[in-house]
Coordinates of all heavy atoms in Angstrom, one line a residue:
A286 N 0.8 -1.2 0.0 CA 0.0 0.0 0.0 C 0.9 1.2 0.0 O 0.6 2.2 -0.7 CB -0.9 0.0 1.2
G287 N 2.0 1.2 0.8 CA 2.9 2.4 0.8 C 3.6 2.6 -0.5 O 3.7 3.7 -1.0
L288 N 4.0 1.5 -1.2 CA 4.6 1.6 -2.5 C 3.6 2.1 -3.5 O 4.0 2.9 -4.4 CB 5.2 0.2 -2.9 CG 6.4 -0.2 -2.1 CD1 6.7 -1.7 -2.4 CD2 7.6 0.6 -2.3
A289 N 2.4 1.6 -3.5 CA 1.4 2.1 -4.5 C 1.1 3.6 -4.2 O 1.0 4.4 -5.2 CB 0.1 1.3 -4.3
F290 N 1.0 4.0 -3.0 CA 0.8 5.4 -2.6 C 2.0 6.3 -3.1 O 1.8 7.3 -3.7 CB 0.6 5.6 -1.1 CG 0.2 6.9 -0.7 CD1 -1.1 7.4 -0.8 CD2 1.2 7.8 -0.2 CE1 -1.5 8.6 -0.3 CE2 0.8 9.1 0.2 CZ -0.5 9.5 0.2
A291 N 3.2 5.7 -3.0 CA 4.4 6.5 -3.4 C 4.4 6.6 -4.9 O 4.9 7.6 -5.5 CB 5.6 5.8 -2.9
R292 N 3.9 5.6 -5.7 CA 3.8 5.7 -7.1 C 3.0 6.9 -7.5 O 3.3 7.6 -8.5 CB 3.2 4.5 -7.7 CG 4.1 3.3 -8.0 CD 3.3 2.2 -8.7 NE 4.2 1.1 -9.0 CZ 4.9 1.0 -10.1 NH1 4.7 1.9 -11.1 NH2 5.7 0.0 -10.3
L293 N 2.0 7.2 -6.8 CA 1.1 8.3 -7.1 C 1.6 9.7 -6.6 O 1.5 10.7 -7.3 CB -0.3 8.1 -6.5 CG -1.1 6.9 -7.1 CD1 -2.3 6.6 -6.2 CD2 -1.5 7.2 -8.5
W294 N 2.2 9.7 -5.4 CA 2.5 11.0 -4.7 C 3.9 11.2 -4.3 O 4.3 12.2 -3.8 CB 1.6 11.1 -3.5 CG 0.1 10.8 -3.8 CD1 -0.6 9.8 -3.3 CD2 -0.7 11.5 -4.7 NE1 -1.9 9.8 -3.9 CE2 -2.0 10.9 -4.7 CE3 -0.5 12.7 -5.5 CZ2 -3.0 11.3 -5.5 CZ3 -1.6 13.1 -6.2 CH2 -2.8 12.5 -6.2
G295 N 4.8 10.1 -4.5 CA 6.2 10.3 -4.1 C 6.5 10.2 -2.7 O 7.6 10.5 -2.3
V296 N 5.6 9.8 -1.9 CA 5.7 9.7 -0.4 C 5.3 8.3 0.0 O 4.2 7.8 -0.3 CB 4.9 10.7 0.3 CG1 5.0 10.5 1.8 CG2 5.2 12.1 -0.1
N297 N 6.2 7.6 0.8 CA 5.8 6.2 1.3 C 5.7 6.3 2.8 O 6.7 6.3 3.5 CB 6.8 5.2 0.9 CG 6.4 3.8 1.3 OD1 5.6 3.6 2.1 ND2 7.1 2.8 0.8
P298 N 4.5 6.4 3.3 CA 4.3 6.6 4.8 C 4.7 5.4 5.6 O 4.9 5.5 6.8 CB 2.8 6.9 4.9 CG 2.2 6.4 3.7 CD 3.2 6.5 2.6
V299 N 4.9 4.2 5.0 CA 5.3 3.0 5.8 C 6.7 2.6 5.5 O 7.1 1.5 5.9 CB 4.2 1.9 5.6 CG1 2.9 2.2 6.1 CG2 4.2 1.5 4.1
A300 N 7.5 3.4 4.9 CA 8.9 3.1 4.5 C 9.7 2.7 5.8 O 10.6 1.8 5.7 CB 9.5 4.2 3.8
G301 N 9.4 3.3 6.9 CA 10.1 3.0 8.1 C 9.6 1.9 9.0 O 10.2 1.6 10.0
A302 N 8.6 1.2 8.5 CA 8.0 0.1 9.3 C 9.0 -1.1 9.2 O 9.3 -1.6 8.1 CB 6.7 -0.3 8.8
R303 N 9.5 -1.6 10.3 CA 10.5 -2.7 10.4 C 9.9 -3.9 11.1 O 9.7 -3.8 12.3 CB 11.8 -2.2 11.0 CG 12.4 -1.0 10.4 CD 13.1 -1.4 9.1 NE 13.8 -0.3 8.5 CZ 13.5 0.3 7.4 NH1 12.4 -0.1 6.8 NH2 14.1 1.3 6.9
Y304 N 9.6 -4.9 10.4 CA 9.2 -6.2 11.0 C 9.3 -7.3 10.0 O 9.4 -7.0 8.8 CB 7.7 -6.1 11.5 CG 6.8 -5.6 10.4 CD1 6.2 -6.5 9.5 CD2 6.4 -4.3 10.3 CE1 5.3 -6.1 8.5 CE2 5.6 -3.9 9.3 CZ 5.0 -4.8 8.4 OH 4.2 -4.3 7.5
R305 N 9.4 -8.5 10.4 CA 9.6 -9.7 9.5 C 8.6 -10.8 9.7 O 8.7 -11.8 9.1 CB 11.0 -10.2 9.7 CG 12.1 -9.2 9.3 CD 13.5 -9.8 9.5 NE 13.7 -10.4 10.8 CZ 14.1 -9.8 11.9 NH1 14.4 -8.5 11.9 NH2 14.3 -10.4 13.0
S306 N 7.7 -10.6 10.6 CA 6.6 -11.6 10.9 C 5.4 -10.9 11.4 O 5.4 -9.7 11.7 CB 7.2 -12.6 11.9 OG 7.3 -11.9 13.2
H307 N 4.3 -11.7 11.4 CA 3.1 -11.2 12.0 C 3.2 -10.8 13.4 O 2.7 -9.7 13.9 CB 1.9 -12.1 11.8 CG 1.5 -12.3 10.4 ND1 1.0 -11.3 9.6 CD2 1.4 -13.4 9.6 CE1 0.7 -11.8 8.4 NE2 0.9 -13.0 8.4
A308 N 4.0 -11.6 14.2 CA 4.2 -11.2 15.6 C 5.0 -9.9 15.7 O 4.7 -9.1 16.6 CB 5.0 -12.4 16.3
E309 N 6.0 -9.7 14.9 CA 6.8 -8.5 14.9 C 5.9 -7.3 14.5 O 6.0 -6.2 15.0 CB 8.0 -8.6 14.1 CG 9.1 -9.4 14.7 CD 10.4 -9.5 13.8 OE1 10.5 -8.7 12.9 OE2 11.2 -10.4 14.1
A310 N 5.0 -7.5 13.5 CA 4.1 -6.5 13.0 C 3.2 -6.1 14.2 O 3.0 -4.9 14.4 CB 3.3 -6.9 11.8
R311 N 2.6 -7.0 14.9 CA 1.8 -6.7 16.0 C 2.6 -5.9 17.1 O 2.1 -5.0 17.7 CB 1.2 -8.0 16.6 CG 0.0 -8.5 15.8 CD -0.7 -9.7 16.6 NE 0.1 -10.9 16.6 CZ 0.1 -11.8 15.7 NH1 -0.6 -11.6 14.6 NH2 0.8 -12.9 15.8
A312 N 3.8 -6.3 17.4 CA 4.6 -5.6 18.3 C 4.9 -4.2 17.9 O 4.9 -3.2 18.7 CB 5.9 -6.4 18.6
F313 N 5.2 -4.0 16.6 CA 5.4 -2.7 16.0 C 4.2 -1.8 16.2 O 4.3 -0.7 16.7 CB 5.8 -2.8 14.5 CG 6.0 -1.5 13.8 CD1 7.2 -0.8 14.0 CD2 5.1 -0.9 13.0 CE1 7.4 0.4 13.4 CE2 5.3 0.3 12.4 CZ 6.5 0.9 12.6
V314 N 3.0 -2.3 15.9 CA 1.8 -1.6 16.1 C 1.6 -1.3 17.6 O 1.2 -0.1 17.9 CB 0.6 -2.3 15.5 CG1 -0.7 -1.7 15.9 CG2 0.8 -2.4 14.0
R315 N 1.8 -2.3 18.5 CA 1.6 -2.0 19.9 C 2.6 -1.0 20.4 O 2.2 -0.2 21.4 CB 1.8 -3.3 20.7 CG 0.6 -4.2 20.8 CD 0.7 -5.3 21.8 NE 2.0 -6.1 21.7 CZ 2.1 -7.2 20.9 NH1 1.1 -7.6 20.2 NH2 3.3 -7.8 20.9
S316 N 3.7 -0.8 19.8 CA 4.7 0.2 20.3 C 4.2 1.6 20.2 O 4.7 2.5 20.8 CB 6.1 0.0 19.6 OG 6.0 0.5 18.3
F317 N 3.2 1.8 19.3 CA 2.5 3.1 19.1 C 1.3 3.2 20.0 O 0.7 4.3 20.0 CB 2.2 3.3 17.7 CG 3.3 3.6 16.8 CD1 4.0 2.5 16.2 CD2 3.8 4.9 16.5 CE1 5.1 2.7 15.3 CE2 4.8 5.1 15.7 CZ 5.5 4.0 15.1
G318 N 0.8 2.1 20.6 CA -0.4 2.1 21.3 C -1.6 1.6 20.6 O -2.7 1.8 21.0

């Protein structure tokens, strides 16, 4: 979704998201609340 958005507008809002599994994705999201 971030790459598709960047194709249109030159900005990727999820470029900094760092995770390699669903568990890490959940932890990344939890780190923001």
Side-chain angles (χ1 to χ4, degrees):
L288 292 168
F290 187 82
R292 273 185 179 268
L293 294 169
W294 312 114
V296 177
N297 184 344
V299 295
R303 301 284 184 250
Y304 53 85
R305 296 179 311 271
S306 68
H307 291 298
E309 287 181 15
R311 283 189 287 276
F313 178 77
V314 168
R315 275 195 309 272
S316 74
F317 288 88

